[in-house]
Structure formats: structure tokens, C-alpha cells
Amino acid sequence: MLDCAIIGGGPAGLTAGLYATRGGLENVVMFEKGMPGGQITLSSEIENYPGATAHNLSGMDFMMPWLEQCQRFGLRHEMAEVTRVSHTKGGAFVIHTSDGKTQEAKSVIVGTGSTPKKAGFIGEEAYFGRGVSTCATCDGFFYKGKAVAVIGGGDTALEEALYLAKICTNVTLIHRRGSFRASPNTIKRLKATANIELVLNATVDEVFGDEMGVMGIRVTLEDHSTREINVPGVFVFIGNNVNNQVLRQEDGTFLCDMTPTGEVKVNLKMETSLKGLFATGDMRQDAPKQVVCAASDGAVAALQAIAYVDGH
Amino acid sequence: MLDCAIIGGGPAGLTAGLYATRGGLENVVMFEKGMPGGQITLSSEIENYPGATAHNLSGMDFMMPWLEQCQRFGLRHEMAEVTRVSHTKGGAFVIHTSDGKTQEAKSVIVGTGSTPKKAGFIGEEAYFGRGVSTCATCDGFFYKGKAVAVIGGGDTALEEALYLAKICTNVTLIHRRGSFRASPNTIKRLKATANIELVLNATVDEVFGDEMGVMGIRVTLEDHSTREINVPGVFVFIGNNVNNQVLRQEDGTFLCDMTPTGEVKVNLKMETSLKGLFATGDMRQDAPKQVVCAASDGAVAALQAIAYVDGH
């Protein structure tokens, strides 16, 4: 039986592996079907991880040293896709993988992240990480003193537009409806912000650019006319899929308590409602979706898992 | 008026400064009377901060790049000692410094850390960071396959001894009393752990060694005899002073809700019970006392402070 199974190989899972093995757990496996590193490896530049001070550091170059470091103390990486985590009456966890096999574990740390929804316009994937972003906190500063466009009309889109308005000269908020599904106070703040322009009832057709990156966005308005907005940055906030599938049981319920939006409920110790099960990174409630925060979650969860395993 | 005042210049304060300024707050000051960097700069080696992969990296060398990085976006460092943070009826915060001056701020992030208590034996300070440690999670692994001594008899000492017992060959737990002030379950686990030896009713006289580091510890037993225990590592867990003085008001109360042990109560957003006031790092409840966790707290608090300032 594993001392600890870690599901997901992003910053949270890797750091959990580092702390769990360095803290003396001996049978620790990180399940990650792809290459470890997580969503950040798609970023063209990272400058807000404390200690990562190189200029023009790509997400991929940033994460590569983590793999060796986090496996230095005995963490094993299993390239398998976890389909489900279940829990036996005896208190053990069972890790089900897509090859039909199962492994038992005394404790489980999940960190499978979340996936921003795609809007589906032309150029969205081609320019992702080169002008198209899904994280204002991460990438907003790269457009300091420039104009950007934001796509979306929910709370996150509006909050991110407000965040960007403090950094950028102009923010054009493009929304396919005529009104917002967001809290009244956020809408009020948005409308009171001088450098945010609203383009409502508009469909995004295309993000265009050249080999250097994005140059602008083309939208179709309510009257079927087309408008081009010249911006080097386009932020898409039309929703987020929490990767919580591994916690879903055969009867449709989840292994632990979740928020209405599908994130895992945790406390400051990253404990879920089920003893021995910890949740970390972008999949847990109130996640700030930053590498340093996911890494911290992994460390916290591993220290708790060590104490949990030791106590049983 | 400052947009945000940051009290303390450790990993939490520095990261808060990085995120607050990069997120567009313009008047951000970090108050730190000494050189920024925090407690970790006293460590002789750090190997569990994800991404810091250099071998034999000292705490000082590890933190130096943070200073430039975290000030790259406009964070100002004020070399002043904050004596108190108060709150006006109008909702502003007032930062009182030891030079008798005051400055107002819209939001405050405190991260003043905590200070492990000294036991007072000979060699404790001289060998600190070279064999004497106050953090098993940080330094335990450096004694993998070796024997260590632990000093203390409370919950933390026992938990840290259990943590070390998974990594080290032998743990000698030295306690000045004949019984422990810890939870019954922890005491039970301690007594059930084969490689932990208890030396009770014992006073630590001296940690001795040479220029390479610690070689052993000398204790006086109940019958006044002396015993030498040859270990390269000595962990001291006799309590912790939370540096919460800046939150104490003139009438003796605190600015926000605290735990019975003097840590600041926070939620996952690092919000305290007082709006606009955030607490981070080792001074907040359930702090894992790891650099990556303090840094994460700083990032979380800054993102919340930006939204708070923007909303007012």
C-alpha cells in the first residue's frame, strides 16, 4: 500500500511529493499522465514567482528544474491517468487508473487543477501564451501602459477587467449579452471606471496578429457590422472547468464536500471533509491560481498527510 | 495616504509587495527595520523551496535575489520599526513608527513572523544554523540516517520528534520535566515509536562541537550526574513568540481576532476579522512555517488588498 498517492503533476503535486518524501514517507507516487509541470508550462513568461528572477523566463524553462528537485528524495512518477479515487470501509483509498488497475493508498493529495473554457474564436489557440491569456494576475503586467481586451460577462471577467484597468491604459470589455451576470457592486465599480469601455451584444470572430503576437481582435456587433479593436493582449474569462472528475463516485456523488461551483472545500490545512484526503492548487475553493500558492498548498497537504499516516 | 502598508520584510512581506505593485497599487511601502529577507536568512542551507535547486544554497544567498525582484515593480522599503497599527473611525489604518511619526494606509498586510524561544544553554546561539535548529520540516532531512536530539515537552516538540523519527536513526527527546504537556494521542504515538529515546527530568547544559558543527549535547540528569549524547543535530522546540505586538492597541486589546496562542485568525484569503487588514506567514494561525507558504500568503493577501482598495 502506498503511504501517499498524489494525483496531478503541476506545482502543487510536485511540491507535495517533495515534502512528503523529504519528510520520510517512503511509498509516494505522483500520478500524472503527461509530463509533469502543469498549466504554467504553457506560459511564455513568468515574473511573479518569488526567486525566479531570470528575465524572459518561459513557463517551461521555469518548471524543468522542479522535476529533478522534487524527485530528489524518492518521489516516483507514474505516467497513468487516474479515473477515480474511492475509499474503502476500512479507511484506505483506492486509486483507479485508465488501464483498469487499482492501487491502495493510506492518504491522497489531489491537485488536478482547472481548465479555462475556450471561447472558440479563430486564433484563440494559436495565440495562447502569445497575447491570448486566461489570467490577469499572471499576465496583466506585460501590458502595462497598453490597451487590452477582455472577453466575458461574469464576476471573474469583471473583476479581472478591474484589475487590468489599474495597469493598462484602456480595457475593452466584450460580452455577448446586453447585461452582466455578476454582483451588483462589481457592475457598479466597472461602470464607474473611466478607462473601461463596454462592447455588449458582440461576438468575437477572430484574434489576429503576426509572428510577434496578437495585434487585434475582430468582433461582430448587434447590427451585424464588424469592428476591429487594435490591442496586443486579449484576456478570455468565460468560465473554468474544475478538474474534479477523479473525486466523482460511481453513484454521481463526490468523495468529499464541494462548493456549488465544483471546487473542493478545504480549510487552512488543505484538509477536505474526508480524513486523509487533501486538495491543493487551482481545484480547491478560493484558489488564487498562482504557482507559488499551488506549491504552498502542496507543502501544507504533504505535512498534514505525513502526520495523518503516522497517526494511523 | 498609502494604498497598502506591508509590515515585515520576510518572504511574506516581500511577495505581498511584488503582487501589490505588479497588480497596479501605486503607493505601497514595506516597513522593515532591518534588512529584508526574514528568518530564513539565518539558515545554512535550503533545499525545499521549489525551484531553488542549487546545492548547498544558504538562506542568505537564497533570499538576496528576492529583494531586487520584489522591488522591481515599485515597492518601497522603509527602514522603520512599526510599533503599532491602529484603525480610525473613518476606516483608514494608521502606521505608528518608533520615530514617533504616523502614516495612513487604505489597507495593511502584516507579516512580522514569530520567534522561537531560546532554551539558554551554552552553544545555542553559536551553533544556530550549524547543527542547532528550530524547524524539523526545514532541517530534518540533513540528518537522514543520523541521530538527533530534540529538546522540549509540548505538542510541537513531540510532533517534531515523531517527524524526525521517520528520517533519522535515533531521536533522543530531552525534557526538563517528568511528564509531557501534550495531547494524549501524541504521547501515545511517541511512546510507541521504537527509535525515540526519552531522557526526562534533564537539563541541557551545553551543545558542543567544532568548526564543522555540532558533535553532541551535555545534559544534567535528575541524580545530578552528567550525560553526553553524541549527535550532529539538536532541535529546540520550547515555544514560540508570535510577533503580534504591532496589532496590540493602547487598551491592551488586539486590532483583530487572535487564537488563544496569539496567532492571527485568518481565512483562506488571509482576511482577518477586520476588513482591509490581512495577516500572512508565521504569525497567522495554522502556519506551516515554510518559505513557500509565507510567500503564498503574501501573494494571496496582496490580491485581496488590491480588490479591497479598488472597492473603496
Side-chain angles (χ1 to χ4, degrees):
Chain A
M1 186 175 318
L2 301 177
D3 277 343
C4 184
I6 297 165
I7 323 293
L14 284 163
T15 308
L18 166 66
Y19 269 80
T21 52
R22 192 164 179 274
L25 290 190
E26 294 207 334
N27 249 317
V28 183
V29 170
M30 181 181 74
F31 293 87
E32 168 59 58
K33 65 180 173 214
M35 197 185 62
Q39 207 180 335
I40 188 69
T41 57
L42 303 176
S43 286
S44 58
E45 186 171 352
I46 181 166
E47 62 179 14
N48 63 359
Y49 184 80
T53 55
H55 287 273
N56 301 313
L57 182 66
S58 76
M60 186 65 86
D61 288 342
F62 166 67
M63 284 308 296
M64 281 305 103
W66 288 44
L67 308 186
E68 185 276 323
Q69 179 189 20
C70 293
Q71 294 185 49
R72 197 182 283 171
F73 304 98
L75 173 66
R76 285 183 286 136
H77 171 207
E78 204 162 303
M79 270 208 171
E81 182 177 3
V82 175
T83 52
R84 188 160 60 96
V85 178
S86 61
H87 194 233
T88 68
K89 279 178 186 157
F93 292 92
V94 184
I95 316 300
H96 306 258
T97 41
S98 59
D99 54 11
K101 291 182 184 162
T102 60
Q103 287 188 63
E104 290 206 334
K106 292 178 190 166
S107 64
V108 172
I109 298 171
V110 280
T112 42
S114 68
T115 311
K117 285 184 190 161
K118 300 273 184 213
F121 54 78
I122 297 166
E124 186 174 22
E125 300 212 22
Y127 287 107
F128 191 82
R130 299 192 305 129
V132 174
S133 169
T134 54
C135 180
T137 307
C138 314
D139 299 326
F141 192 82
F142 298 124
Y143 304 98
K144 187 177 166 73
K146 296 176 185 169
V148 296
V150 168
I151 300 169
D155 267 311
T156 304
L158 270 54
E159 281 159 17
E160 299 281 52
L162 286 163
Y163 181 94
L164 290 165
K166 297 177 88 76
I167 300 170
C168 305
T169 52
N170 283 287
V171 177
T172 306
L173 180 63
I174 301 160
H175 182 37
R176 61 188 173 137
R177 296 178 198 276
S179 61
F180 299 109
R181 285 160 302 150
S183 75
N185 188 43
T186 307
I187 296 173
K188 198 172 141 194
R189 280 165 54 205
L190 184 87
K191 291 185 174 171
T193 304
N195 63 338
I196 298 182
E197 184 201 355
L198 305 182
V199 177
L200 305 180
N201 299 301
T203 319
V204 177
D205 300 318
E206 183 179 359
V207 161
F208 56 89
D210 60 14
E211 65 281 357
M212 298 291 287
V214 167
M215 296 169 70
I217 186 166
R218 191 175 294 119
V219 301
T220 298
L221 304 175
E222 206 174 8
D223 62 2
H224 304 293
S225 67
T226 296
R227 180 175 162 191
E228 277 188 13
I229 304 158
N230 295 321
V231 286
V234 176
F235 290 82
V236 184
F237 305 113
I238 56 162
N240 220 20
N241 291 315
V242 183
N243 301 330
N244 58 19
Q245 301 88 331
V246 300
L247 298 176
R248 192 184 280 275
Q249 304 304 295
E250 285 173 327
D251 64 2
T253 61
F254 285 98
L255 196 54
C256 59
D257 292 348
M258 313 290 278
T259 67
T261 47
E263 293 148 334
V264 183
K265 285 189 182 177
V266 294
N267 60 17
L268 286 167
K269 297 178 174 178
M270 300 306 135
E271 292 170 326
T272 68
S273 60
L274 180 61
K275 291 247 183 269
L277 177 68
F278 305 88
T280 59
D282 292 4
M283 74 177 317
R284 59 111 165 147
Q285 68 174 119
D286 293 328
K289 301 194 166 66
Q290 295 296 297
V291 172
V292 69
C293 303
S296 170
D297 287 2
V300 171
L303 293 173
Q304 293 299 324
I306 292 168
Y308 174 81
V309 169
D310 198 34
H312 282 69
Chain B
M1 181 170 331
L2 300 177
D3 277 343
C4 184
I6 298 165
I7 321 294
L14 284 164
T15 308
L18 167 65
Y19 269 79
T21 51
R22 193 167 179 273
L25 291 190
E26 295 207 333
N27 249 319
V28 183
V29 169
M30 182 180 76
F31 294 86
E32 167 58 59
K33 66 180 174 216
M35 197 185 61
Q39 207 179 334
I40 188 70
T41 57
L42 302 175
S43 285
S44 59
E45 187 172 350
I46 180 164
E47 63 179 13
N48 63 359
Y49 184 80
T53 55
H55 287 273
N56 301 312
L57 181 66
S58 76
M60 186 65 85
D61 289 342
F62 165 67
M63 283 308 295
M64 280 305 104
W66 289 44
L67 308 187
E68 186 275 323
Q69 179 189 19
C70 293
Q71 295 185 49
R72 196 181 285 172
F73 304 98
L75 174 66
R76 284 182 289 138
H77 171 209
E78 203 162 306
M79 271 209 170
E81 182 177 2
V82 174
T83 52
R84 186 162 61 94
V85 178
S86 62
H87 194 234
T88 67
K89 280 178 185 156
F93 292 92
V94 183
I95 316 300
H96 306 256
T97 43
S98 60
D99 53 12
K101 292 184 185 161
T102 59
Q103 289 186 61
E104 291 206 332
K106 293 178 189 167
S107 66
V108 172
I109 298 171
V110 281
T112 42
S114 68
T115 311
K117 285 183 189 161
K118 301 270 183 214
F121 53 79
I122 297 166
E124 186 174 22
E125 299 212 23
Y127 288 107
F128 190 83
R130 300 192 303 129
V132 173
S133 170
T134 54
C135 179
T137 306
C138 313
D139 300 326
F141 192 83
F142 299 122
Y143 304 97
K144 187 177 166 74
K146 297 176 184 169
V148 295
V150 169
I151 300 169
D155 268 308
T156 303
L158 270 54
E159 281 159 18
E160 299 281 53
L162 285 163
Y163 180 96
L164 290 164
K166 298 178 86 76
I167 300 169
C168 305
T169 53
N170 283 286
V171 177
T172 306
L173 180 64
I174 302 159
H175 182 38
R176 62 190 173 136
R177 297 179 197 276
S179 61
F180 298 107
R181 285 161 303 147
S183 75
N185 189 43
T186 307
I187 296 173
K188 198 173 142 194
R189 279 165 55 203
L190 185 89
K191 291 186 172 168
T193 304
N195 63 338
I196 297 181
E197 183 201 356
L198 305 183
V199 177
L200 304 180
N201 298 304
T203 317
V204 177
D205 300 319
E206 184 180 358
V207 162
F208 56 88
D210 59 15
E211 65 283 354
M212 298 290 288
V214 166
M215 296 170 70
I217 185 166
R218 192 174 295 117
V219 301
T220 298
L221 304 176
E222 203 174 9
D223 62 4
H224 304 292
S225 68
T226 296
R227 181 175 161 191
E228 277 188 12
I229 304 159
N230 296 321
V231 286
V234 176
F235 290 82
V236 184
F237 305 113
I238 56 161
N240 221 20
N241 291 315
V242 183
N243 301 331
N244 58 20
Q245 301 89 331
V246 300
L247 298 176
R248 193 183 280 276
Q249 303 303 295
E250 284 174 326
D251 63 1
T253 62
F254 284 98
L255 196 54
C256 59
D257 291 350
M258 312 290 279
T259 68
T261 47
E263 294 147 336
V264 183
K265 284 191 182 175
V266 294
N267 61 16
L268 286 167
K269 296 178 176 179
M270 301 305 137
E271 292 171 327
T272 68
S273 60
L274 180 60
K275 291 250 181 265
L277 177 68
F278 306 87
T280 59
D282 292 5
M283 76 177 317
R284 59 110 167 149
Q285 68 174 117
D286 293 329
K289 300 194 168 67
Q290 296 296 297
V291 172
V292 70
C293 303
S296 170
D297 286 2
V300 170
L303 293 173
Q304 293 299 323
I306 292 168
Y308 175 81
V309 169
D310 197 33
H312 283 68

